[in-house]
Amino acid sequence: MPILKAAIIGGGNIADKNHIPTLKELSEQVEVVAICSRDIQKARALADKHSIAHAFDNAEEMYQSDSKPDVIINCTANNLHYPFTMQALEHHCHVLCEKPPAISSQEAREMAQLAASKGKVLAYNFQLRQTPEYTLLKKCLTSGQLGEIYHIKARFLRRRGIPGWGNFTNKTIQGGGALMDLGVHILDLALGLLDYRMPDKILANTYDFIGKAGGKGLMGSWDASKFEVEDACFAHLSFPDNASIELSTSFALNTKEQKNVNLEVFGTHAGAVLNPFSLYGELAGELTDTEFPHLEEIDIQLQNTKAFLDACNGQPSNICTAEQGAVLQEIIEKIYQSAEK
């Protein structure tokens, strides 16, 4: 297969620390040819750091240049996912976009529709679906060990994890708080176990008590006077077949653990906990607890980028698709709408 040419749009930490090193490891499949950032000095510095040939401060100029990419990695702020993804698709590029898909469900749906009309891959960087634990959970579901899943508890909680940098507390740029930044990851996993169906009932509450009050944080201090998003979100999603998801996510919550990322899955034959992975069921008339202590650690960003490149090359892939991203964004929007009511 020909080596794909990739460009990074957005010159921040996630490009520097996550995507560029990962793409460099996949040099047999992809070559990073350009960095594009609104600050040309920032783009040039990042390109020089990683020995990337070209730097731009205008994406349109990049698409018209000799270094026109085949693939775009969209690492911009949430409110810029839509315009830069649409521009890339118009220029016939595949796109791997950071999460969340967009600010609104309409944006996410338009992105999916344009990708389909152009025959290009649009995918989202939900790398937690690449963990060995989740892979094994999906295998247990497919093999019938769990039976039918009827309820999932999905949690991504931080005790005092409001980021003290960037735009995480700016609603205009981020679109939301804990749900947009953290909850989307665990919601993606839960929906993946239910074939990414759309719930017909959503009841949700959001809170900002700790964010608005300020206090001691574990990820730097934040300006309470500029805190515009939710620091916690709790939602109950009910599906037409009576399956349900209980979603809990927080930047800040008065709880014991500093961080809690997990799924509890309840099926008709057995239940499961994602981290550490374990099964709970019955065998020969006796209750069983099964643990899996030898699962290997893997580079989940590497695996997710491989999955994206596989999709670009027409190979089977478990990447989060444009359609799934549109469904996810619609659910997020409905959660916020329920909380506002």
Side-chain angles (χ1 to χ4, degrees):
M1 293 182 182
I3 294 178
L4 297 170
K5 294 188 294 184
I8 308 286
I9 298 183
N13 188 66
I14 198 162
D16 181 22
K17 298 298 196 308
N18 284 36
H19 289 289
I20 297 175
T22 295
L23 291 166
K24 292 282 189 177
E25 288 192 51
L26 298 171
S27 58
E28 293 183 357
Q29 296 176 265
V30 63
E31 176 190 5
V32 185
V33 297
I35 303 289
C36 184
S37 172
R38 289 176 291 181
D39 183 340
I40 188 60
Q41 292 183 343
K42 189 175 184 179
R44 186 69 265 166
L46 189 59
D48 289 344
K49 177 181 177 179
H50 293 281
S51 301
I52 296 167
H54 303 283
F56 297 89
D57 61 0
N58 184 301
E60 191 63 36
E61 289 181 7
M62 178 180 69
Y63 293 122
Q64 300 301 330
S65 72
D66 293 337
S67 56
K68 181 184 183 301
D70 307 301
V71 168
I72 290 294
I73 312 297
N74 188 347
C75 302
T76 59
N78 294 355
N79 64 326
L80 298 178
H81 287 181
Y82 172 78
F84 280 111
T85 294
M86 295 292 278
Q87 183 185 31
L89 292 169
E90 289 287 2
H91 283 281
H92 305 282
C93 292
H94 302 296
V95 181
L96 176 61
C97 184
E98 267 300 329
K99 55 80 191 170
I103 293 291
S104 71
S105 62
Q106 179 177 344
E107 288 180 346
R109 178 52 61 190
E110 289 180 14
M111 293 155 73
Q113 290 172 345
L114 183 58
S117 71
K118 296 291 185 180
K120 294 298 176 180
V121 172
L122 168 59
Y124 297 103
N125 194 38
F126 288 104
Q127 66 268 51
L128 290 185
R129 56 168 65 191
Q130 305 297 341
T131 64
E133 291 82 3
Y134 189 68
T135 300
L136 183 54
L137 177 58
K138 292 276 284 187
K139 287 180 179 178
C140 290
L141 175 60
T142 302
S143 68
Q145 288 178 267
L146 299 176
E148 295 293 324
I149 293 175
Y150 55 88
H151 184 62
I152 301 172
K153 290 183 179 180
R155 300 187 297 275
F156 199 137
L157 303 172
R158 290 180 186 161
R159 178 174 178 173
R160 280 293 193 282
I162 298 174
W165 67 89
N167 302 303
F168 290 94
T169 64
N170 184 309
K171 188 172 183 179
T172 300
I173 294 175
Q174 289 295 105
L179 175 60
M180 278 287 210
D181 190 49
L182 306 179
V184 290
H185 277 294
I186 205 72
L187 182 56
D188 170 63
L189 299 188
L191 290 171
L193 298 173
L194 298 178
D195 297 322
Y196 246 88
R197 302 196 299 273
M198 178 65 69
D200 58 351
K201 298 175 185 177
I202 295 177
L203 178 63
N205 296 83
T206 57
Y207 303 96
D208 60 7
F209 293 121
I210 298 172
K212 287 290 182 64
K216 184 176 182 179
L218 299 171
M219 299 178 67
S221 60
W222 68 94
D223 187 343
S225 68
K226 296 181 179 179
F227 191 88
E228 302 172 350
V229 297
E230 81 282 356
D231 59 30
C233 175
F234 305 95
H236 185 91
L237 286 60
S238 182
F239 294 81
D241 62 353
N242 205 35
S244 55
I245 295 174
E246 177 187 322
L247 174 67
S248 303
T249 185
S250 68
F251 276 155
L253 195 68
N254 289 320
T255 185
K256 180 179 180 180
E257 295 176 288
Q258 291 188 14
K259 186 177 181 180
N260 184 333
V261 183
N262 221 332
L263 288 178
E264 289 184 72
V265 179
F266 303 93
T268 54
H269 295 165
V273 172
L274 187 64
N275 296 312
F277 188 77
S278 49
L279 291 174
Y280 304 95
E282 181 181 348
L283 181 65
E286 297 294 335
L287 299 182
T288 61
D289 297 352
T290 307
E291 298 180 348
F292 298 78
H294 304 296
L295 295 180
E296 295 184 11
E297 291 187 12
I298 65 168
D299 184 335
I300 59 175
Q301 182 59 71
L302 182 67
Q303 290 302 121
N304 211 48
T305 304
K306 282 182 178 179
F308 169 63
L309 295 175
D310 285 343
C312 294
N313 288 314
Q315 302 299 315
S317 170
N318 68 340
I319 196 74
C320 180
T321 66
E323 177 60 30
Q324 290 174 341
V327 171
L328 179 66
Q329 197 70 51
E330 184 174 348
I331 293 173
I332 291 168
E333 191 167 275
K334 289 179 182 296
I335 289 173
Y336 280 129
Q337 289 172 349
S338 173
E340 287 174 2
K341 294 178 182 179

